[in-house]
Amino acid sequence: MTSTNYPHLAELGWNDFFENQLDDERPAENAIVRVCSVHSMVLFVMGAEGKRQLAIPGNWLSSDPEDRPTVGDWLILDETGQWPVRILKRQTLVTRRAPSDITSVQLVAANLDTLFIVTSLNDDFNLSRLERYLAIAYEYGVTPVVVLSKRDLVTAEHAEDCAAQVRALHDGLDVVVVNALTIDTVNALFPWVEKGMTATLVGSSGVGKSTLVNTLSGEERTPTGAIRDSDSKGRHTTSSRTLYTLPNGGLIMDVPGFRELRLPSCEHGIAKVFADIIEIGLHCGFTDCLHDGEPDCAVEKAVEEGRITRRRVENYRKLLKEQAAQDDEKQQAKIYARQRRVADRVAGKTSGKKQRRRR
Ligand SMILES: Nc1nc2c(ncn2[C@@H]2O[C@H](COP(=O)(O)OP(=O)(O)OP(=O)(O)O)[C@@H](O)[C@H]2O)c(=O)[nH]1
Ligand SMILES: [Zn+2]
């Protein structure tokens, strides 16, 4: 439900979730702004009176990453309208592991509704990479939509075959096939970035994220990179995170940091993507089966019977290994056990089979 107290803000994504945090405090509409981009000392924000620049308060610069503003945040300003004094609780928050230190977290984007996961139908097409991004979307409660680009460069059969493989990754997963260069097919993305909704695009370099933003905008918003013919890899042409308003009133965030694919803590998202494997795993002989050659492994049996692909099982194991990162095998087994508990809670299922511990 959209608030009526701040009509201009509703167009920028404001809703009751944020309004309910104001309690008795009723700031003027121009004292509430949304962050469009963050630089080392300043923020660009948009609000009822358009776009402007604000200095970041000194005490915010030294606070924990989660207490610092990120793109998409809603801020309350002081009575002078010059200084942000409060970051409203985020409806969704996407984080990633810092490139330099895997134990610390960086904020990627706040208050997203939709994650457009872009992959091209030619060289970039890779189901395991899509599963990675799906885990992020499910972990953070952002709706994923897989966008298969470069439709014009492949045959109709190839496009349909790829789309079918992607749809099979998860029940109800939305998949849209586009030629990112023209609005005819890109139009199909608007239901996920309607007026007041916020979306972002993720995917490898060169798959067409900037091209999609430009086509959705009806103008050149972000530079697109020329592809090197030999390897179909684009140059990294986008370097800072920015929130744009589209002509239809939707909001789109360009987030280059997502390309590095360092998964943050994502166990619930992974459990949701691979719920089928977890369910089959409830029938393995060992409660702590890693589906890696153990005897009486139900997952291995399902692979042999063609009920599940080996690629998918291997990707599941790989993502969980990443989650367990530097931990030993015991730690990994704990994660598998937690996955089973998540599956039980989500589906209310147990196999009924009596399982024993390996160690
Ligand atoms: N034929 C065709 N070319 C496309 C399509 N989408 C993107 N391209 C081209 O692919 C190249 C790379 O596109 P970009 O939009 O810059 O890719 P990106 O994902 O933003 O890349 P980075 O900014 O490096 O992450 C450009 O030359 C685009 O014109 C498409 O659907 N069809
Ligand atoms: Zn097993």
Side-chain angles (χ1 to χ4, degrees):
M1 197 171 63
T2 305
S3 151
T4 51
N5 288 327
Y6 298 105
H8 295 100
L9 301 183
E11 293 175 9
L12 303 178
W14 182 262
N15 61 34
D16 286 351
F17 177 85
F18 305 109
E19 185 131 352
N20 290 339
Q21 297 178 49
L22 299 179
D23 306 320
D24 293 336
E25 153 202 19
R26 285 280 150 198
E29 194 168 41
N30 60 8
I32 306 175
V33 291
R34 191 160 188 206
V35 178
C36 308
S37 63
V38 181
H39 304 270
S40 54
M41 307 294 278
V42 296
L43 303 162
F44 283 86
V45 296
M46 56 185 172
E49 293 174 349
K51 255 191 183 178
R52 64 200 174 106
Q53 185 180 325
L54 294 175
I56 303 177
N59 58 331
W60 284 15
L61 291 170
S62 55
S63 55
D64 289 341
E66 301 230 347
D67 297 329
R68 276 180 244 158
T70 192
V71 181
D73 267 329
W74 283 100
L75 308 179
I76 307 291
L77 307 182
D78 69 358
E79 57 285 354
T80 69
Q82 296 306 309
W83 291 97
V85 289
R86 183 178 165 200
I87 303 172
L88 292 186
K89 189 167 173 284
R90 293 136 178 162
Q91 196 158 23
T92 59
L93 175 67
V94 176
T95 62
R96 65 171 178 147
R97 296 192 323 225
S100 50
D101 169 12
I102 61 156
T103 60
S104 88
V105 151
Q106 283 183 348
L107 307 192
V108 175
N111 302 319
L112 282 177
D113 299 297
T114 305
L115 190 68
F116 288 123
I117 303 172
V118 189
T119 185
S120 70
L121 285 161
N122 54 1
D123 295 2
D124 185 65
F125 188 76
N126 181 315
L127 295 171
S128 296
R129 189 180 305 124
L130 290 178
E131 285 168 341
R132 228 166 229 273
Y133 282 124
L134 285 175
I136 294 179
Y138 292 136
E139 180 77 21
Y140 295 111
V142 180
T143 304
V145 178
V146 176
V147 182
L148 301 177
S149 66
K150 311 203 181 180
R151 159 74 193 80
D152 53 312
L153 299 182
V154 299
T155 63
E157 294 75 42
H158 178 74
E160 193 32 59
D161 175 47
C162 291
Q165 289 182 52
V166 177
R167 283 191 197 99
L169 291 180
H170 204 266
D171 273 353
L173 177 61
D174 289 304
V175 183
V176 181
V177 177
V178 299
N179 168 1
L181 298 169
T182 64
I183 192 69
D184 329 1
T185 50
V186 172
N187 260 330
L189 303 181
F190 281 119
W192 290 282
V193 59
E194 282 177 344
K195 190 171 185 164
M197 284 175 81
T198 307
T200 193
L201 303 105
V202 294
S204 313
S205 183
V207 294
K209 298 177 297 296
S210 302
T211 307
L212 282 165
V213 172
N214 292 339
T215 303
L216 287 164
S217 309
E219 62 184 86
E220 178 94 353
R221 289 294 186 120
T222 58
T224 54
I227 287 268
R228 291 190 299 264
D229 276 346
S230 56
D231 58 5
S232 300
K233 298 265 193 311
R235 289 178 283 120
H236 278 278
T237 45
T238 321
S239 59
S240 67
R241 293 173 293 153
T242 313
L243 185 62
Y244 304 95
T245 312
L246 298 175
N248 75 327
L251 296 127
I252 203 133
M253 225 182 262
D254 211 351
V255 185
F258 252 158
R259 286 156 204 176
E260 291 168 31
L261 282 178
R262 287 168 166 275
L263 277 191
S265 171
C266 223
E267 286 177 36
H268 285 76
I270 294 171
K272 189 156 178 201
V273 175
F274 298 99
D276 52 347
I277 298 180
I278 297 168
E279 197 187 322
I280 294 170
L282 297 172
H283 300 268
C284 292
F286 297 114
T287 50
D288 55 354
C289 185
L290 301 181
H291 322 314
D292 188 25
E294 291 93 335
D296 197 16
C297 173
V299 172
E300 178 58 31
K301 188 159 171 265
V303 170
E304 283 163 11
E305 290 172 0
R307 284 184 283 133
I308 198 155
T309 63
R310 189 167 298 284
R311 177 209 62 75
R312 188 165 163 84
V313 175
E314 281 173 1
N315 196 36
Y316 174 59
R317 298 188 63 249
K318 184 174 169 195
L319 296 187
L320 285 190
K321 245 188 208 154
E322 279 180 32
Q323 293 292 296
Q326 290 93 0
D327 295 352
D328 58 15
E329 204 191 25
K330 205 168 166 191
Q331 179 62 22
Q332 242 185 81
K334 271 190 202 160
I335 293 181
Y336 274 74
R338 283 202 291 274
Q339 293 274 298
R340 286 161 191 266
R341 286 201 294 274
V342 170
D344 285 352
R345 274 204 307 275
V346 170
K349 284 184 183 133
T350 52
S351 71
K353 174 166 177 168
K354 194 164 168 4
Q355 294 180 304
R356 60 192 188 279
R357 284 197 64 81
R358 178 168 40 177
R359 293 179 285 273

